[in-house]
Amino acid sequence: MPSDTHNASRRILVSSALPYANGDIHLGHLVEYIQADIWVRFQRLLGHEVYFVCASDAHGTPIMIRARKDGVEPEAVVAHYQQAHVTDFAAFGVVFDNFNSTHADENRELVYDIYGKLTDAGHIYTKTINQAYDEAEKMFLPDRFVRGTCPVCSTEDQYGDACESCGSTYTPADLKDPVSVLSGEAPVWRDSEHYFFKLGEFEAFLKDWLDGAGLDDSVRKKLSEWFEAGLQDWDISRDAPYFGFEIPGAEGKYFYVWLDAPVGYFGSFKALCEREGRDFAPWLAPDTDTELYHFIGKDIVYFHSLFWPAVLQGAGMRTPTSVFAHGFLTVDGKKMSKSRGTFIKGRTYLDHLDPEYLRYYYAAKLGPGIDDIDLNLEDFVSRVNADLVGKLVNIASRCAGFVHKNNDGKLADVLPDPELYQSFADAGDTIAGHFDRREYSKAIREIMALADRANQYIDANKPWQMVKDEALRDAVPGVCTQGLNLFRALAVYLAPVLPALADKARELFGEDTWQWDSAAAPLTGTPITKFKPMLTRIDDKQVAKMVDASKDSDTPAPAAASDEDTIGIDDFMAVDLRVARIVKAEHVEGANKLIRVQLDVGALGQRQVFAGIKSAYDPAALEGRLTVMVANLAPRKMRFGLSEGMVLAAGDGKGIFLLSPDDGAAPGMRVK
């Protein structure tokens, strides 16, 4: 990993692990996505060219079974959760350049290409295996659909491929007392021909790759254990029924999700390149000077640090520059629990608290290793209130008013203590090094130590008393300009962690953008805007309500009865209205009223919608036009295809009028 954080020539591709499209995002997931987003934002502040991609992990038996249960196609399940995930991520400030699906055409093309290269190079073979079969469900069982007692440590209720307690890997046949998670019955064992990747052939390469990848020592130790045990060839196929990509030339055989899922990183980036007219091929070349980093949880280190680099090497493609693994989240020192209300979904958190608080608290806890971090709710309230409200924002709130009252809202031309400011500026390199190495907790400690010094300066000068003394009154603007500049430097350093606060700080100073070196020199002689509250204290009651809302309830609360034809504000806010640009519009063959429109919804990606506006509009006239869509409407499977939302139009029975925002609106903006 490059050590020079200020090398402006770096081109970086960053991915986070793909959230499985079968459930909502929770606070445990967000450890990773916030960690990655902070690093991406930091690198961009340095001026590097950075792309941040992700995708829904769309394949596998769980999604197939969920779709069967819900009476919909698997694609509808994927589309629903893909939409929900992107919306939740964006609310927490985690903004991807592209969020795709592993079921997308771009991924299919890359998977087939990689498989073809591996086959041509002799890295794929077939053999007959004895596999668990559920006679009640009439299907072969993936490893994780068999549970039993670990054959190594005897921990009960473990997956069929690995033990969560001792970390051992094995096959379902090795389990003691195995049962199918579908039927609860003991599986039988049947023969089936499977496709294997010769992972063992890449041992020497993998050891060399690991030497240069800069992995955390604890990760390297675990990987060495797998090397000592001997690398086993990897089963990359699954039997029908299965939701995924069918293996070319092998009817009824599908790629195992762990073959096509990592390829989804490249598939998502390929979709971004095609949309923006960028050259995708150089990023995959083995001799490329671009960098590739994966942020993952420690539970999937094996796949990303052994299997994935070997697959890429075998296909003649570039390998990851490094893999950054993190630990798990506990809440109040214990595993997240629905009964205690500590299994908290991202959406539930957002209903009660500012997402910036969680970003800050995670940053204050995170380092580059795989140690678990604890969300202690009492400490969370205390630290946010003390650091962000009591220390950070307090600096600006105590100084800005005096600048308006005593200097016509204009910063002084000089600082009374330039050496103090220079010490803040000089700290930038140290803090940058911490961020680059993902030592976020160290960065936060450095920044908060500076915040203490800023408050000490203000407390020592007491501008609220100086303004009452005629002899000292003229010095008030200088003192407060000093304080505001110290706050500004801190806000620059915290911008990767608190992007929304950084936006408010830039608005205060009348600045459009910041770079990391914006803190190198003070801002003087320029007007500032009127100070507006930036953050408010957390009330313990807010946290209590969030916990209560997260607890399991056997009986849902009844909806409030009303005789009025009204909805509450919460109902309205649940509708996610977004500005969208019509990229493409066309008639739908066999439909009398519908036009198929392809919508660009900014960070939410592109959506296909079937709109009943054919009687009023020519498709060609719609392309390039802005409109408004319901972005969180559940996808609807139609005979013409999947409709992923709704465009808004007005009508009185005599005509249809598509809603359009004013000039200046941009795709992805939320309608409020």
Side-chain angles (χ1 to χ4, degrees):
M1 176 178 164
S3 58
D4 184 2
T5 61
H6 292 81
N7 178 5
S9 66
R10 291 173 65 183
R11 302 176 70 212
I12 307 171
L13 177 61
V14 178
S15 76
S16 289
L18 313 182
Y20 201 57
N22 198 33
D24 295 313
I25 298 299
H26 57 69
L27 298 197
H29 294 129
L30 285 164
V31 171
E32 176 177 310
Y33 299 102
I34 289 173
Q35 182 190 39
D37 184 80
I38 290 172
W39 199 77
V40 166
R41 289 178 182 273
F42 165 72
Q43 300 295 344
R44 286 173 174 162
L45 278 172
L46 291 180
H48 301 319
E49 183 182 0
V50 187
Y51 302 97
F52 187 23
V53 298
C54 197
S56 291
D57 190 356
H59 290 156
T61 305
I63 288 175
M64 179 187 70
I65 293 173
R66 172 64 182 270
R68 185 189 302 171
K69 179 182 178 182
D70 294 347
V72 298
E73 296 297 322
E75 291 87 348
V77 175
V78 173
H80 169 77
Y81 282 108
Q82 180 178 359
Q83 177 180 299
H85 291 168
V86 171
T87 301
D88 286 351
F89 287 141
F92 280 95
V94 179
V95 181
F96 299 101
D97 293 296
N98 193 65
F99 195 94
N100 216 41
S101 163
T102 57
H103 197 59
D105 290 340
E106 298 87 2
N107 204 46
R108 185 192 303 269
E109 293 168 3
L110 286 170
V111 168
Y112 286 173
D113 179 56
I114 290 172
Y115 174 73
K117 290 175 178 176
L118 293 175
T119 301
D120 292 344
H123 300 309
I124 304 294
Y125 68 96
T126 62
K127 72 175 181 180
T128 299
I129 66 170
N130 200 236
Q131 191 179 2
Y133 186 84
D134 189 324
E135 291 187 312
E137 295 291 332
K138 294 182 170 46
M139 61 181 291
F140 285 100
L141 295 170
D143 293 350
R144 292 212 157 196
F145 274 68
V146 183
R147 297 184 73 93
T149 301
C150 174
V152 179
C153 70
S154 297
T155 301
E156 297 179 351
D157 195 30
Q158 296 302 303
Y159 289 117
D161 58 351
C163 177
E164 292 181 304
S165 179
C166 71
S168 298
T169 58
Y170 40 73
T171 70
D174 299 322
L175 284 173
K176 302 175 185 176
D177 304 318
V179 296
S180 166
V181 301
L182 297 180
S183 66
E185 301 293 326
V188 298
W189 302 93
R190 292 187 178 181
D191 288 343
S192 176
E193 186 180 53
H194 274 228
Y195 288 69
F196 285 80
F197 171 67
K198 299 177 182 178
L199 181 62
E201 293 183 345
F202 293 87
E203 181 172 340
F205 156 75
L206 288 170
K207 288 180 177 179
D208 288 342
W209 176 80
L210 289 169
D211 284 340
L215 273 65
D216 183 77
D217 287 343
S218 55
V219 173
R220 292 178 60 84
K221 181 180 179 180
K222 187 63 183 177
L223 292 174
S224 67
E225 294 175 5
W226 283 320
F227 281 120
E228 291 172 6
L231 299 181
Q232 301 298 310
D233 291 348
W234 196 260
D235 187 349
I236 63 167
S237 66
R238 293 295 183 266
D239 293 281
Y242 194 80
F243 180 59
F245 296 146
E246 194 168 28
I247 298 176
E251 186 178 353
K253 304 291 182 180
Y254 291 80
F255 289 115
Y256 176 41
V257 64
W258 271 109
L259 180 79
D260 65 58
V263 181
Y265 304 137
F266 288 154
S268 185
F269 185 58
K270 185 174 188 288
L272 173 66
C273 290
E274 291 176 349
R275 185 174 74 240
E276 297 186 353
R278 302 180 183 276
D279 192 2
F280 170 70
W283 290 81
L284 269 62
D287 58 349
T288 183
D289 60 356
T290 62
E291 303 169 41
L292 172 64
Y293 300 101
H294 301 305
F295 283 79
I296 62 166
K298 63 182 180 181
D299 56 326
I300 52 176
V301 164
Y302 187 97
F303 302 101
H304 284 81
S305 301
L306 296 176
F307 180 61
W308 176 230
V311 165
L312 292 172
Q313 176 72 9
M317 296 177 167
R318 62 93 38 79
T319 52
T321 309
S322 191
V323 175
F324 301 145
H326 62 82
F328 299 142
L329 179 74
T330 58
V331 181
D332 288 340
K334 299 178 181 179
K335 186 177 180 180
M336 292 189 296
S337 165
K338 292 182 179 179
S339 62
R340 293 192 299 269
T342 56
F343 188 93
I344 304 168
K345 294 181 180 180
R347 183 51 48 182
T348 306
Y349 176 98
L350 293 168
D351 289 340
H352 297 87
L353 294 166
D354 190 323
E356 297 267 282
Y357 300 153
L358 191 72
R359 290 180 65 99
Y360 179 78
Y361 192 79
Y362 280 178
K365 292 272 190 168
L366 277 166
I370 60 172
D371 294 333
D372 297 344
I373 68 170
D374 184 53
L375 172 59
N376 182 288
L377 295 175
E378 183 178 348
D379 179 58
F380 169 72
V381 174
S382 175
R383 182 173 297 209
V384 167
N385 288 344
D387 289 0
L388 298 186
V389 182
K391 291 183 183 181
L392 181 67
V393 174
N394 191 44
I395 302 169
S397 67
R398 292 202 290 175
C399 293
F402 290 113
V403 171
H404 278 279
K405 292 177 182 178
N406 297 85
N407 208 43
D408 296 325
K410 186 178 179 182
L411 296 172
D413 293 330
V414 295
L415 299 183
D417 194 342
E419 292 182 357
L420 175 60
Y421 186 85
Q422 189 59 47
S423 68
F424 276 52
D426 292 342
D429 285 344
T430 298
I431 296 169
H434 292 325
F435 274 124
D436 192 57
R437 295 185 296 272
R438 304 170 333 280
E439 296 173 336
Y440 300 163
S441 60
K442 291 184 179 180
I444 296 299
R445 286 197 295 272
E446 292 277 351
I447 295 168
M448 284 300 129
L450 293 175
D452 285 335
R453 292 178 61 192
N455 280 291
Q456 289 165 6
Y457 172 83
I458 297 168
D459 290 339
N461 285 275
K462 297 180 175 59
W464 53 90
Q465 291 185 7
M466 292 174 64
V467 77
K468 300 175 183 179
D469 188 332
E470 188 173 348
L472 300 175
R473 190 176 298 143
D474 289 345
V476 169
V479 168
C480 291
T481 295
Q482 180 89 36
L484 285 169
N485 270 282
L486 299 179
F487 165 76
R488 176 177 172 270
L490 297 172
V492 171
Y493 297 151
L494 282 169
V497 180
L498 304 173
L501 178 71
D503 288 343
K504 295 174 182 177
R506 283 196 301 271
E507 182 181 352
L508 173 66
F509 293 104
E511 298 179 280
D512 294 328
T513 60
W514 280 342
Q515 297 295 322
W516 189 257
D517 61 6
S518 294
L523 197 66
T524 56
T526 60
I528 63 171
T529 63
K530 187 177 181 180
F531 179 81
K532 299 176 183 177
M534 296 182 178
L535 289 171
T536 58
R537 293 176 61 84
I538 302 176
D539 191 316
D540 290 332
K541 294 179 181 178
Q542 294 171 272
V543 175
K545 289 180 179 178
M546 176 183 70
V547 171
D548 286 342
S550 301
K551 291 180 179 178
D552 267 343
S553 177
D554 294 331
T555 307
S562 176
D563 294 328
E564 298 179 357
D565 189 17
T566 62
I567 62 172
I569 185 64
D570 291 340
D571 296 318
F572 174 77
M573 294 302 295
V575 182
D576 188 8
L577 300 177
R578 300 280 181 151
V579 175
R581 187 181 302 281
I582 301 175
V583 179
K584 184 179 181 182
E586 57 187 358
H587 292 294
V588 180
E589 186 176 352
N592 298 323
K593 300 180 179 180
L594 298 180
I595 290 178
R596 180 189 285 107
V597 292
Q598 194 72 21
L599 302 173
D600 175 12
V601 203
L604 300 187
Q606 294 202 5
R607 304 278 181 82
Q608 174 179 267
V609 172
F610 292 91
I613 57 175
K614 186 174 181 177
S615 63
Y617 293 95
D618 175 47
L622 293 173
E623 295 184 356
R625 176 171 174 173
L626 291 177
T627 187
V628 177
M629 74 167 299
V630 181
N632 62 343
L633 188 68
R636 179 186 177 193
K637 183 71 173 179
M638 307 175 69
R639 66 186 178 95
F640 313 104
L642 192 68
S643 187
E644 301 169 293
M646 176 187 293
V647 295
L648 300 187
D652 58 359
K654 300 177 182 179
I656 298 174
F657 306 90
L658 198 65
L659 299 192
S660 299
D662 287 343
D663 291 340
M669 283 185 176
R670 188 153 188 177
V671 180
K672 301 179 179 179

